[in-house]
Amino acid sequence: MVLKQGVELLLEHLEEQQRGRGRVGRRETPEKMASRIHATAEQLHLEDLQEPCDASMLLDACRVVLDTNPKSGHPLFFNQLYGKPDELGVLGDWLVVAANAHVHTYEAAPAFVVVEKEILDKLARTIGGEYEKEHDGLFVPGGSMGNFYGMLMARHHAQPNLRKTGLHGGPALVAFSSEQSHYSYTKAAAVLGIGTDNMIAVKCDEHGSMVPEELEKAVVRAQQDGKHPFFVGATAGTTVTGAYDPLPSLHMICKKHKLWMHVDGVWGGPVLLSRRHRHLMAGAEHADSIAWCAHKLLGAPTQCAAFITKHGNHLLPCNASAASYLFQPEKCGAAFDPGDKSFMCGRRADMFKLWLMWKHVGDLGMEKIVDVTISMAAAFEELILGSEGKFHLVQPRTYANVCFWYIPRSLRPFRRENASATEMEEIGSITSLLKGKLHEAGDAMINYQSMDGVPNFFRIVFRSHCHLDVQDLQQMLERMDSMGETL
Amino acid sequence: MVLKQGVELLLEHLEEQQRGRGRVGRRETPEKMASRIHATAEQLHLEDLQEPCDASMLLDACRVVLDTNPKSGHPLFFNQLYGKPDELGVLGDWLVVAANAHVHTYEAAPAFVVVEKEILDKLARTIGGEYEKEHDGLFVPGGSMGNFYGMLMARHHAQPNLRKTGLHGGPALVAFSSEQSHYSYTKAAAVLGIGTDNMIAVKCDEHGSMVPEELEKAVVRAQQDGKHPFFVGATAGTTVTGAYDPLPSLHMICKKHKLWMHVDGVWGGPVLLSRRHRHLMAGAEHADSIAWCAHKLLGAPTQCAAFITKHGNHLLPCNASAASYLFQPEKCGAAFDPGDKSFMCGRRADMFKLWLMWKHVGDLGMEKIVDVTISMAAAFEELILGSEGKFHLVQPRTYANVCFWYIPRSLRPFRRENASATEMEEIGSITSLLKGKLHEAGDAMINYQSMDGVPNFFRIVFRSHCHLDVQDLQQMLERMDSMGETL
């Protein structure tokens, strides 16, 4: 059974990352990578007349694929918002593959349907407030889809007839999110027929949080223009800086103007599990809907994202088609069928891995993931502040993101308020150079970006990073500094 | 490492199904199932204050979950359009979990990005025609999303400005699909703001194929009503009967009226891989876009679905947001970044399992899956025809679906044209009773449904069923007959 041999390879890969050995990644061009797979094993290319390949050659190819791919489980992989997959999470996801069940009816996937309900119930109790009384939801393929469902439900709530008649005869609906919000809001506005022009970007303060007064001004302006505001997409944990919008203030504005309030808690929502940090999400319990995700900070394997709403009976009328071939009401457990709440058909059983993880470590264990991760971010922030001017914080940390620049020796001591445009440009361009160097050396993978006139900076994000200590981070900064000297 | 122990369990589960032993499924209420998990191991319930659970208890829970779930890999599981997961497919999917990569940039998932392109290129060559010159596409979370992307691109193609301005001031767009088409078209029309009223169901012939003349009539009628036809969603392999729409005729109508032609080949598209059966998809090469899936007939683990279009440069402008934190154009391999073509953000690397499967068996092996599966359906049809009136075909088979009734002894010999309404009703109600009996006995799982006044009938679908022979089917029918006698 080739699967058995393959599993050995996968377990080895996971254990190696656990120990944090080896390169984080390889910076290879597509051509180089393809040729490496070609050399060691089977070509990446699917031939015009593809012959069968020997299983052992395919195992070699698997080895190269794993080697080529950035080691997202490596302690020094900071490139994306996901990282080392939790061991029980991996088991749960592997089980889902082996069971090969699709979630749409209780009949076809009984345990997964019940587990989905269990997790959503637990999440609702964790959110608290009105969610404890009533809620509904779904696991969805990624956080973007969670925000998409939020806007879709809001549209249906505002204009239930449009589902039937189409939007062309309806009012000009307008949605709002902060200028720092995730791009999925804009994509959703485009796809849902709202239009990107009607997705208003509301100004943020210097931390990246939406300014409530600016929201209200924008809402009133849209009303005066004869448009119909219907949706506010708040953000709990922005992608770049980890900022939280002031949810209680946004809630008051939404209430006053009768707007659907959705919270994008895809990145920052896990703080709900921590007594120490859940204050960041205060007010989320008033939101009409929330997108939440366990595959980022919490370390479930991708994908593991949920959409939840406090409206217990709005998701089905929003999406139902009542297909007679699938949703026969007389079938066993049909009252549990979740499929028709989705605008897709079958969904992967992404909820099961989270159930296993949660059961394994319990509430305190889940809380610890959040607390340890955020304290690691805080420790890293301290390292930057104590780096004697070699590194410079772009802005103070709120959550698990630390944004910073490497300051070339020639520009030290660096004072941002005195820096010239040319100097800022130099700092920005050295960021992307240094990132490339690090990546090439396989040392660490750190993302970077520019933001509204602020030149390129590094963004480190901490996720479920319990196999990392402050010394590792200190050493990484020292190596970055040495590399920086050579640029 | 609990994962190692868990893997043993999963391999055992897969091997057991391979041998076709044991029950296909258990028909248990949600309460019964939860109590069984409770009794053997850990409760399904997530407590208000959830304590950590012992790993060995969780492994027991995994065992119960696998046992409770219908054995989709069992030879006699005919309940859904997916079945036994291919071994290399399982390995590929497990590798994706272990690599924990998300597909959006080349930098973050280099091999998977290149493999996605390889498979889409191969698929394009397999489709042929204009697809060989130019194409674009994405793996998407399920076939429904493939149809969704088709309608989304069509909307953008017809009215590129609506993405920006929203649909409210635009024309009344109208889409068409057959009355036997999958419900995902209707759901897409609702979500995309077209409106379900503007999703016209075109009449089918007695096989379930769209009648081209009816399509043209419907298009002209919509034009006369001042509406704007923009999309025809053809079906290659209907869910219930496996019928194929006459694609060349639909293409002529689409060309004449300048409509986007999309083909839902999610169920029937795999015939493209078979020299013997690809004639069923003739004309698909003219379609503007196609939804295609490897997790149904071809036996890849769920999910493994693709969307492909012959328009090489329309997907990006349709969905792009150019998020600066992710799609930095100067990054290594950035020209390969597929993420911004999607209206989601990261996607699971669903393409890799198909690559491994295809490489393993080659083109001839993939063809064989299609040919053997369809010939098994043909053999089963023969068994029904030769059952001496115990079973009755609802309609002749086209593809891998066989629709039939069990005829109670009292109604034999059965002649449909002479059957009274009461008799048809009896046949319909015995179908759902017999299905329940089979399910309860764990003997076989077969779906059933009614269709436009035709009472409930069994629908058997064959998928990648190489571990099944005609004798198994013969014996299953004999057991159904015996059970039927007791009803």
Side-chain angles (χ1 to χ4, degrees), chain A residues 1-41:
Chain A
M1 209 187 182
V2 55
L3 185 54
K4 272 191 184 163
Q5 296 167 266
V7 161
E8 293 303 317
L9 184 71
L10 301 180
L11 292 172
E12 210 175 275
H13 174 80
L14 288 166
E15 276 171 25
E16 207 166 82
Q17 292 190 52
Q18 179 62 30
R19 292 195 303 267
R21 302 223 181 110
R23 303 162 62 99
V24 181
R26 294 176 183 278
R27 191 164 182 267
E28 290 179 344
T29 61
E31 297 72 27
K32 174 94 189 292
M33 185 193 57
S35 81
R36 207 150 64 82
I37 294 189
H38 184 119
T40 50

Side-chain angles (χ1 to χ4, degrees), chain B residues 88-346:
Chain B
L88 269 285
V90 170
L91 175 59
D93 225 9
W94 284 6
L95 181 142
V96 164
V97 177
N100 203 31
H102 234 179
V103 181
H104 36 40
T105 63
Y106 174 81
E107 178 182 81
F112 301 120
V113 164
V114 174
V115 161
E116 179 167 50
K117 193 176 167 315
E118 277 299 320
I119 299 217
L120 291 170
D121 286 353
K122 176 78 176 174
L123 184 58
R125 295 196 301 274
T126 308
I127 297 165
E130 298 170 57
Y131 282 79
E132 293 201 66
K133 278 176 261 164
E134 193 184 280
H135 61 270
D136 202 353
L138 286 169
F139 273 71
V140 293
S144 287
M145 289 302 281
N147 292 334
F148 189 93
Y149 268 98
M151 200 184 290
L152 173 62
M153 277 196 82
R155 193 188 78 181
H156 188 66
H157 184 73
Q159 301 278 334
N161 210 38
L162 296 186
R163 171 185 155 76
K164 196 169 169 295
T165 61
L167 266 64
H168 66 280
L173 296 169
V174 185
F176 305 83
S177 70
S178 89
E179 54 186 358
Q180 287 298 321
S181 67
H182 190 257
Y183 71 78
S184 50
Y185 281 134
T186 306
K187 291 207 174 194
V191 172
L192 288 168
I194 308 301
T196 53
D197 283 352
N198 301 311
M199 182 74 237
I200 310 295
V202 180
K203 282 218 158 30
C204 289
D205 64 18
E206 70 278 18
H207 301 291
S209 306
M210 192 193 282
V211 178
E213 296 73 26
E214 294 289 339
L215 171 64
E216 183 144 32
K217 265 194 256 173
V219 169
V220 170
R221 205 176 306 128
Q223 286 166 338
Q224 286 167 347
D225 290 350
K227 296 188 167 185
H228 287 66
F230 77 109
F231 175 84
V232 172
T235 303
T238 58
T239 312
V240 178
T241 67
Y244 285 72
D245 287 348
L247 303 181
S249 308
L250 302 193
H251 167 59
M252 295 312 292
I253 296 169
C254 288
K255 206 173 154 187
K256 179 173 163 194
H257 295 279
K258 297 196 171 59
L259 308 175
W260 183 281
M261 177 172 163
H262 173 82
V263 176
D264 172 359
V266 171
W267 171 230
V271 295
L272 285 168
L273 306 178
S274 158
R275 284 164 293 183
R276 191 165 152 209
H277 297 291
R278 62 173 287 141
H279 66 90
L280 289 167
M281 278 283 275
E285 69 278 12
H286 301 304
D288 294 286
S289 59
I290 301 173
W292 193 84
C293 178
H295 77 237
K296 296 184 190 284
L297 188 108
L298 295 173
T302 59
Q303 292 174 334
C304 191
F307 170 76
I308 190 165
T309 168
K310 72 178 178 190
H311 303 284
N313 45 11
H314 284 42
L315 201 46
L316 191 63
C318 176
N319 288 312
S321 79
S324 63
Y325 81 90
L326 195 56
F327 303 115
Q328 299 92 331
E330 70 274 21
K331 282 201 306 199
C332 173
F336 278 73
D337 288 356
D340 221 14
K341 294 182 199 170
S342 160
F343 72 90
M344 304 161 65
C345 186

Side-chain angles (χ1 to χ4, degrees), chain A residues 28 45-48 79 83 100 106-107 118 122 125 155 168 187 190-191 328 330 342 359 448, chain B residues 28 45-48 79 83 100 106-107 118 122 125 155 168 187 190-191 328 330 342 359 448:
Chain A
E28 290 179 344
H45 183 53
L46 279 163
E47 305 286 347
D48 271 342
N79 214 64
N100 203 31
Y106 174 81
E107 177 182 81
E118 277 299 320
K122 175 79 176 174
R125 295 196 302 274
R155 194 188 77 182
H168 65 280
K187 291 206 173 193
V191 173
Q328 299 92 331
E330 71 273 22
S342 160
K359 278 283 188 184
Y448 71 90
Chain B
E28 290 179 345
H45 184 53
L46 280 162
E47 305 287 346
D48 271 342
N79 214 63
N100 203 31
Y106 174 81
E107 178 182 81
E118 277 299 320
K122 176 78 176 174
R125 295 196 301 274
R155 193 188 78 181
H168 66 280
K187 291 207 174 194
V191 172
Q328 299 92 331
E330 70 274 21
S342 160
K359 278 283 188 184
Y448 71 90

Side-chain angles (χ1 to χ4, degrees), chain A residues 176-251:
Chain A
F176 305 84
S177 70
S178 89
E179 54 186 357
Q180 287 299 320
S181 67
H182 190 257
Y183 71 77
S184 50
Y185 281 134
T186 306
K187 291 206 173 193
V191 173
L192 289 168
I194 308 301
T196 53
D197 283 353
N198 301 311
M199 182 74 237
I200 310 296
V202 179
K203 282 217 160 29
C204 289
D205 64 18
E206 69 278 17
H207 302 290
S209 306
M210 192 194 282
V211 178
E213 296 72 27
E214 294 288 340
L215 171 63
E216 182 143 33
K217 266 195 256 173
V219 169
V220 170
R221 206 177 305 127
Q223 286 166 338
Q224 286 167 348
D225 290 350
K227 296 187 167 183
H228 287 66
F230 77 109
F231 175 84
V232 172
T235 304
T238 58
T239 313
V240 178
T241 67
Y244 286 72
D245 287 347
L247 303 182
S249 307
L250 302 193
H251 168 60

